[in-house]
Amino acid sequence: MKLDFSAVGQKLTARSGILELMDDLGRAMTEQPDMRMLGGGNPAAVPSVQLLWRERMATLIADGQSFDRMLGNYDPPQGNPRFVRSLADLLRRTFRWDVHPENIAVTNGGQSAFFFLFNLLAGRFKQGTFGKILLPLAPEYIGYADQGIDEGMFVACRPEITWPNGPESRVFKYRINFDEVAKTLESEDIRAIAVSRPTNPTGNVLTDDEVQKLSDLAARQKIPLILDNAYGAPFPNVIFTEAKPFWTPDVIMTLSLSKLGLPGTRTAVVIGPPDVASAVTAMTAIAGLANGTIGQQLVLPLVESGEILELGPRHLRPFYAEKSHQAQAWIREYFTAAGVDWAVHASEGAFFHWLWLRGLKISTKELYERLKARKVLVVPGEYFFFGMPDDWSHRHECLRLNFSQPAEVVREALQIIAEEAASVML
Ligand code: PLP
C-alpha cells in the first residue's frame, strides 16, 4: 500500500540533513564499532560526571518513594513544579534576572524546544503575512534547518571572516556583519533573531558586545532574541573564553541537560516571556502530554544548591579545552605536512573544530563520502549554510569535526582527513 502523506507529513519526512546525520551517527555507533566518529554532537564520556549521575540515580533508587514517583507519574506539561521553581530561584539569585516560574517551560530536549519556538513565531500568519527567523551569522546549527513546517522560514546572514592573530596563524573567527543584519531586518518580515552561543558548528562564542547589539536590534524591532545555550552559560558552560551569560525579559533562552552528559534524558528548558513559556507548555501538552521526568529529578538537588553552575567550570570545561587544544595541534601538524591550504575557526567553546579547506575542488558532501569509506565520519559543512543564496564558495569548503572522542580516534581521523584532503586538493 502506497500512502499519500499530507503536505506537513511530506515536509517532515523529506530526506533532511539532520535525519542523515542522526542515521549515520546511530548506525556507526551500533553497527560499526571501528568507525572513527567525528560526526554527531554526542558529548564525551567525562568520568567524574558519569559518576555523579550514577550516584544521583542510586540515591533516587535507594529512596524508593522518589524513584516510584519519578517513573509512575506525569508531571504537568510546564515541567516539574519544584524543578521549575528552583531553577527560577537560582537564576534570580545568581544573575539577578527577573525570572519566575511563569517564564519557564520544560521541553523534551532543546530540539523539540526549537521546533515549537520556530513554528510558534514564524511561518504563515492568519493575516496572510509570512514571518521569518533571522540567523545573524551563518553557518548555524544544522538541527534548525528543516524544522519550519512552512518552507523558507530562515534567512541567514553571511559573516565577516576575521583573523584575530593574523592570517599566518591560520585561525579565523566569524563576526556578525551588522550592516547585513540591519539590511535584512529592513527588507524581510523578521519575527525573531536566533543564534547558538557557543555556535554549533564552529565553536564561535559571540562576544558580549555582539549579543548586546543583537538584543538592542531585536528590542527596537519588538521581536525576541532567541539564545541557544546548548553548550553555553549558565550551564553546561563549555566555554573557553570570557563570555557573560545574557538574558533580558525580551530574550528567549534555551538550556539543555544534554551536554551535561544527559542527552538520553531528553530534557531542556525555555526561559522567556510568560506568553512564550505558556505557549511552549501548551505545545508540549498537545505533542507529548508531558516531559520526561528523569533528567529533572537527576539534577534537582544540584539546581537547588546551585552546584549545577559548577559542573561546567570544574569538570567539563577543562576536559573539552584540553581535547580542543590537542586536536588543534594535530590539525596544524597533519594539514601542514599534507601541504594543503587550511584554516580552522577559533575554538571558543562546544565540542567542534570547524575546518576550512581553502580551494577544495570537490563538495564537502563528496569528501564526506570518501572519508566514510575510510571509516571516518565527519559532518559536511554545506548543511550549516541554510537560509542564504548559494553564491559563496566558502560554504563548500568546511567540515565540522567533533573532537570529544578518545584521543587516538581523533588523531587517526585527522591524519586520514589530511591525507584525503591532499589527494583531492593537490
Ligand atoms: N542546539 C544546539 C546548538 C545543539 O548543538 C543541539 C544538539 O546538539 C541542540 C540544540 C539540541 O540538543 P538537545 O535536543 O539534546 O537538547
Side-chain angles (χ1 to χ4, degrees):
M1 182 169 54
K2 178 84 182 78
L3 293 177
D4 197 14
F5 290 155
S6 70
V8 171
Q10 288 187 23
K11 172 69 180 68
L12 295 180
T13 54
R15 188 98 212 140
S16 65
I18 192 73
L19 178 59
E20 188 171 306
L21 171 64
M22 294 311 284
D23 210 37
D24 260 346
L25 175 75
R27 275 178 210 285
M29 292 303 253
T30 51
E31 292 165 13
Q32 289 185 281
D34 55 343
M35 186 66 99
R36 297 171 192 89
M37 172 53 75
L38 271 56
N42 233 41
V46 182
S48 56
V49 177
Q50 287 180 307
L51 186 64
L52 172 68
W53 301 135
R54 266 186 241 142
E55 284 173 0
R56 272 295 302 141
M57 189 59 99
T59 305
L60 280 165
I61 291 172
D63 167 11
Q65 241 190 4
S66 302
F67 188 73
D68 292 345
R69 223 180 300 132
M70 173 175 82
L71 292 190
N73 293 322
Y74 292 111
D75 274 337
Q78 184 194 4
N80 180 273
R82 188 167 155 192
F83 172 80
V84 168
R85 212 168 35 244
S86 53
L87 182 60
D89 289 348
L90 176 68
L91 298 176
R92 253 194 344 270
R93 180 168 88 229
T94 313
F95 302 105
R96 311 214 171 281
W97 295 340
D98 195 22
V99 172
H100 300 269
E102 59 269 27
N103 296 104
I104 293 181
V106 176
T107 62
N108 286 305
Q111 193 68 17
S112 303
F114 281 96
F115 184 73
F116 293 161
L117 289 170
F118 291 149
N119 289 298
L120 180 70
L121 298 170
R124 263 175 299 135
F125 283 74
K126 272 201 176 136
Q127 304 82 338
T129 50
F130 191 97
K132 294 186 181 178
I133 303 288
L134 170 64
L135 308 174
L137 194 164
E140 184 52 277
Y141 175 46
I142 187 176
Y144 303 156
D146 296 291
Q147 285 205 315
I149 289 176
D150 288 318
E151 218 43 82
M153 206 130 114
F154 296 101
V155 49
C157 294
R158 194 194 284 201
E160 286 162 18
I161 296 179
T162 65
W163 302 88
N165 300 309
E168 59 291 346
S169 70
R170 295 191 179 269
V171 177
F172 68 102
K173 178 173 165 68
Y174 293 127
R175 299 294 298 259
I176 294 178
N177 181 335
F178 279 97
D179 291 340
E180 279 262 332
V181 171
K183 254 190 258 159
T184 311
L185 282 170
E186 260 172 40
S187 61
E188 300 267 5
D189 181 0
I190 301 295
R191 302 301 178 100
I193 301 176
V195 281
S196 56
R197 186 188 194 229
T199 307
N200 175 355
T202 57
N204 191 16
V205 175
L206 294 187
T207 63
D208 294 339
D209 188 45
E210 283 175 312
V211 175
Q212 185 63 56
K213 273 191 187 157
L214 286 180
S215 170
D216 293 345
L217 275 174
R220 213 173 306 146
Q221 298 285 125
K222 299 195 170 25
I223 56 175
L225 169 64
I226 303 176
L227 285 177
D228 180 351
N229 283 278
Y231 305 83
F235 59 80
N237 212 339
V238 185
I239 295 186
F240 315 138
T241 56
E242 284 298 311
K244 263 203 241 117
F246 187 91
W247 188 81
T248 74
D250 298 323
V251 164
I252 302 172
M253 164 187 277
T254 63
L255 298 170
S256 169
L257 301 189
S258 294
K259 313 306 172 181
L260 287 173
L262 297 173
T265 69
R266 310 306 303 125
T267 310
V269 187
V270 174
I271 302 157
D275 56 341
V276 171
S278 58
V280 169
T281 297
M283 293 169 99
T284 290
I286 288 173
L289 280 190
N291 295 290
T293 52
I294 296 174
Q296 296 175 72
Q297 291 305 320
L298 281 176
V299 300
L300 182 60
L302 289 93
V303 175
E304 290 180 332
S305 67
E307 275 172 273
I308 195 160
L309 303 178
E310 296 302 316
L311 290 182
R314 213 173 273 162
H315 299 275
L316 303 177
R317 196 189 288 166
F319 181 94
Y320 285 110
E322 163 65 23
K323 290 218 166 254
S324 164
H325 196 69
Q326 176 63 82
Q328 204 159 359
W330 283 324
I331 289 175
R332 188 167 294 282
E333 180 185 341
Y334 297 140
F335 285 80
T336 305
V340 299
D341 190 2
W342 63 279
V344 72
H345 195 283
S347 176
E348 300 176 325
F351 316 157
F352 311 105
H353 281 314
W354 180 246
L355 179 69
W356 181 11
L357 296 170
R358 304 171 76 175
L360 182 68
K361 294 187 201 82
I362 60 172
S363 71
T364 59
K365 283 183 194 156
E366 258 176 278
L367 183 56
Y368 161 83
E369 290 297 342
R370 293 172 74 122
L371 290 169
K372 198 160 80 170
R374 295 193 62 186
K375 302 227 175 300
V376 175
L377 215 57
V378 300
V379 183
E382 277 99 345
Y383 288 124
F384 301 90
F385 293 91
F386 52 96
M388 64 196 306
D390 187 6
D391 58 355
W392 189 22
S393 58
H394 181 70
R395 68 188 272 172
H396 302 288
E397 297 180 337
C398 299
L399 293 179
R400 191 191 78 177
L401 312 172
N402 183 324
F403 56 68
S404 66
Q405 293 299 301
E408 202 43 30
V409 171
V410 175
R411 195 189 63 73
E412 283 175 13
L414 291 172
Q415 208 163 13
I416 293 169
I417 299 167
E419 281 169 25
E420 276 304 307
S423 81
V424 296
M425 289 172 80
L426 299 179

